[in-house]
Amino acid sequence: MSEKIPYKIYLEEHEMPKQWYNVRADMKKKPAPLLNPATLRPCTAEELGNVFCDELVKQELNETDRYIDIPEEIQEFYKMYRPSPLVRAYCLEKKLDTPAKIYYKFEGNNTSGSHKLNSAIAQAYYAKQQGLKGVTTETGAGQWGTALSMACSYFDLDCQVYMVKCSYEQKPFRREVMRTYGANVTPSPSNTTEVGRKILAEFPDTNGSLGCAISEAVEKATTQDGYRYVLGSVLSQVLLHQSVIGMESKIAMDKYGITPDIIIGCAGGGSNLGGLISPFMGEKLRGEKDYRFIAVEPASCPSLTRGVYAYDFCDTGKVCPLQKMYTLGSGFMPSANHAGGLRYHGMSAVLSELYDQGLMEAVSVEQTSVFESAQQFARVEGILPAPESSHAIKCAIDEAIKCKETGEEKTILFGLTGTGYFDMYAYGAYNDGRMSDYIPTDEELQKSFDTLPKID
Ligand SMILES: *Cc1c(COP(=O)(O)O)cnc(C)c1O
């Protein structure tokens, strides 16, 4: 095509996706089912319905419908902040002096500052449809809690957020944004739940962890009438909602006849990466096209690159269903110097299975190199990226530099999941030269693997 590709490729409202794409429908070997921790049998819809909203349970268990309609009301909400821009990183290409063509899908264009709102609004919608009073959840870095509080205020639902304690203390402004949207925010572990009190008794000085906040939020949901628990990543339903990222990217690229060679995303629980790659992975699974997919994770929390593929607990309190996934063990905690998110011990079951089948690659990167890339990107592209997103930037830059060495004109697409305005302590540490890297030893990981449930 001779026409110059614009800096930003937007979609008209009528071009926006009206359905989510369910990649499991095209997987010949499906992800393993969730197991009930008490019986070790696959969870039934009824069992899951005690914790999650009914419609979301249906989506969680749906492995056959390739497309699922996005309810009209969610489509309308999406129109407030979507389509998210697909940007051609001309300035970065020039700076790197690479023949590679680099595109990024920017999800930071809403107040939550990340892609999490795409699933939060869907989950709040289904909770409202079911006539619930409210929902409970956990948040680590704070983006999910912010997104959910926005979605709940839109639907007049009560929103109770358990925020990992160190993050609650380090990011007071995240907390205030949530409170502004009407959410109730509690640092976790707390004495408001039985599991929280138990953890506090055992580890009085703990800074908290995601796994622990999940246990508290689940307990709170199941012990209050008219409440359910919602989760912002890892689950297959969340990947489904996030497929809107990949669908929009694909529609926009198809419009200009662009085909990516490499698609890159940062991976915490796997939702943005899963959503971004879904429609492209579908083509690969159906044998229509081939792409390279790369998951990028922190070297300090390397679930895909150094974890084991096994059934594990999703939370510290061991109250959630067991999931087969690449995991570091549910007791794993990244070292204290780890900044930013991507600190969950496990990975989405869908992505774990795709990775296990060799359909996706994974790399791990150290945080000082991540911040170096973040700074390099910010200085030319104008966006201050979230530390999480910067893992993808680092890998995209590495791939673009390889193209420079080989002279290949590859097209790279990466997910820029959000902005980093609430991460300035971490940026400060990097700018001062105080940031260090930590890679867990094999012995440390083995200690954590020893706690995996024994399941044949
Ligand atoms: C939550 C978050 C992530 C990681 O979560 P995934 O489920 O792996 O996508 C990445 N970037 C940002 C900005 C986030 O808020």
Side-chain angles (χ1 to χ4, degrees):
M1 187 167 281
S2 56
E3 189 183 343
K4 181 172 168 175
I5 308 290
Y7 271 78
K8 285 201 188 108
I9 306 178
Y10 276 107
L11 299 180
E12 304 287 333
E13 276 187 14
H14 71 268
E15 296 173 304
M16 287 173 64
K18 294 185 171 51
Q19 292 172 314
W20 292 303
Y21 168 66
N22 183 9
V23 71
R24 286 170 293 167
D26 281 310
M27 291 171 70
K28 282 187 204 83
K29 183 164 176 257
K30 312 284 184 197
L34 294 169
L35 299 185
N36 180 325
T39 63
L40 299 186
R41 294 219 185 83
C43 289
T44 62
E46 202 188 331
E47 286 164 351
L48 290 172
N50 294 327
V51 180
F52 301 111
C53 304
D54 295 342
E55 195 58 36
L56 293 167
V57 170
K58 278 192 208 154
Q59 293 181 354
E60 194 61 33
L61 299 176
N62 188 337
E63 297 184 328
T64 47
D65 292 327
R66 195 176 270 167
Y67 292 101
I68 292 171
D69 287 340
I70 305 175
E72 198 100 347
E73 215 170 336
I74 300 175
Q75 285 189 43
E76 291 301 312
F77 188 91
Y78 277 169
K79 282 176 194 165
M80 276 197 278
Y81 70 100
R82 308 198 68 79
S84 70
L86 177 71
V87 185
R88 172 77 183 266
Y90 281 117
C91 302
L92 180 64
E93 290 171 17
K94 195 167 152 202
K95 188 80 184 175
L96 297 174
D97 189 24
T98 172
K101 301 179 178 71
I102 309 175
Y103 294 85
Y104 57 89
K105 181 75 167 159
F106 179 47
E107 292 291 320
N109 261 357
N110 68 80
T111 295
S112 82
S114 85
H115 62 287
K116 300 248 174 24
L117 191 56
N118 302 333
S119 183
I121 195 64
Q123 298 197 41
Y125 170 83
Y126 292 120
K128 187 71 183 179
Q129 288 286 300
Q130 197 175 323
L132 298 178
K133 286 185 211 148
V135 291
T136 71
T137 198
E138 78 295 328
T139 196
Q143 288 92 304
W144 167 246
T146 310
L148 188 69
S149 59
M150 291 171 71
C152 284
S153 71
Y154 184 76
F155 287 118
D156 277 326
L157 285 165
D158 184 35
C159 181
Q160 302 176 355
V161 181
Y162 284 88
M163 185 168 186
V164 176
K165 193 159 133 208
C166 59
S167 174
Y168 182 91
E169 284 159 5
Q170 270 172 19
K171 296 188 175 188
F173 293 144
R174 272 261 169 243
R175 184 171 84 212
E176 284 324 311
V177 180
M178 288 186 253
R179 289 178 60 202
T180 302
Y181 280 96
N184 190 310
V185 189
T186 310
S188 166
S190 75
N191 56 18
T192 66
T193 63
E194 208 159 296
V195 63
R197 287 189 289 272
K198 217 169 108 191
I199 293 167
L200 278 176
E202 206 175 328
F203 309 100
D205 298 325
T206 178
N207 282 323
S209 72
L210 267 183
C212 169
I214 294 174
S215 302
E216 287 207 276
V218 171
E219 179 181 323
K220 209 69 189 169
T222 49
T223 52
Q224 288 178 104
D225 243 8
Y227 281 77
R228 290 291 184 281
Y229 166 68
V230 294
L231 180 59
S233 182
V234 186
L235 295 174
S236 303
Q237 57 184 275
V238 183
L239 261 72
L240 174 74
H241 305 146
Q242 295 298 357
S243 70
V244 70
I245 304 172
M247 305 274 286
E248 281 182 8
S249 304
K250 183 141 180 20
I251 295 168
M253 292 188 125
D254 284 349
K255 241 168 105 161
Y256 285 88
I258 307 161
T259 308
D261 298 296
I262 311 175
I263 307 178
I264 299 167
C266 62
S271 73
N272 87 83
L273 174 66
L276 175 67
I277 68 174
S278 274
F280 299 96
M281 182 61 85
E283 290 185 310
K284 181 161 170 153
L285 289 165
R286 296 191 299 272
E288 296 164 8
K289 276 201 181 140
D290 198 14
Y291 302 97
R292 270 183 76 197
F293 302 104
I294 309 178
V296 193
E297 56 185 15
S300 53
C301 191
S303 51
L304 284 171
T305 50
R306 292 178 69 202
V308 291
Y309 193 29
Y311 268 105
D312 194 9
F313 301 102
C314 292
D315 62 320
T316 313
K318 306 181 180 179
V319 294
C320 290
L322 295 168
Q323 174 167 282
K324 188 175 179 194
M325 58 186 171
Y326 274 86
T327 178
L328 297 168
S330 62
F332 181 83
M333 291 197 196
S335 73
N337 75 345
H338 171 82
L342 310 181
R343 47 173 66 242
Y344 189 61
H345 65 275
M347 185 55 62
S348 137
V350 175
L351 289 188
S352 290
E353 182 55 37
L354 291 169
Y355 178 64
D356 200 58
Q357 291 180 28
L359 292 160
M360 184 181 83
E361 304 163 36
V363 295
S364 72
V365 289
E366 291 171 43
Q367 67 177 356
T368 47
S369 70
V370 166
F371 276 81
E372 187 186 342
S373 299
Q375 192 183 67
Q376 195 175 6
F377 180 86
R379 288 181 180 181
V380 287
E381 289 290 321
I383 293 170
L384 182 85
E388 294 90 334
S389 324
S390 305
H391 288 70
I393 297 176
K394 157 78 179 143
C395 178
I397 290 179
D398 286 350
E399 289 296 328
I401 289 173
K402 276 187 217 161
C403 287
K404 183 177 171 179
E405 287 158 4
T406 60
E408 286 174 291
E409 279 185 42
K410 289 199 176 134
T411 298
I412 299 168
L413 166 64
F414 73 88
L416 187 68
T417 49
T419 48
Y421 303 121
F422 293 99
D423 298 282
M424 296 326 285
Y425 282 114
Y427 271 96
Y430 176 74
N431 292 334
D432 289 346
R434 282 185 283 112
M435 180 173 277
S436 56
D437 294 314
Y438 186 79
I439 303 179
T441 62
D442 288 341
E443 290 70 36
E444 281 169 307
L445 291 185
Q446 190 54 51
K447 240 169 121 184
S448 188
F449 295 148
D450 289 343
T451 66
L452 288 170
K454 306 275 176 286
I455 293 165
D456 336 289

